[in-house]
Amino acid sequence: IRVLVAVEDDPVAVTDAFGAAPIPVLLDPDGSAFAAYQGFGLPLTVFIDSEGVIRSFVAGPLDETSIAAGMRAIEPVGSPTSS
């Protein structure tokens, strides 16, 4: 599973905040990725499965439990962590 974080912000601030994050960070200064995913407010989390299908949008901040549940919902069947 790959996770992309689209951020419409100052690239320096994003690098400072997410530079050491263990996930790829997509800089989206003009908002084009946000618009392509039909973004409607920030923060916005888009859960996309391994086939590239958007499975859910979650508007607003997420806690660790919600993120884990969203990730489990998009795991490929038969993966070591899927149930």
Side-chain angles (χ1 to χ4, degrees):
I1 295 173
R2 294 183 184 216
V3 178
L4 297 177
V5 178
V7 180
E8 185 176 343
D9 208 337
D10 172 38
V12 174
V14 172
T15 301
D16 289 347
F18 293 101
I23 58 174
V25 176
L26 168 67
L27 298 177
D28 186 29
D30 66 358
S32 59
F34 185 72
Y37 283 102
Q38 303 170 2
F40 49 86
L42 292 174
L44 174 67
T45 303
V46 182
F47 290 97
I48 305 168
D49 70 16
S50 62
E51 300 297 320
V53 176
I54 296 173
R55 294 298 177 183
S56 67
F57 289 94
V58 180
L62 293 175
D63 60 19
E64 191 173 322
T65 302
S66 299
I67 293 170
M71 295 301 289
R72 279 191 307 275
I74 63 171
E75 288 177 347
V77 175
S79 70
T81 55
S82 65
S83 46

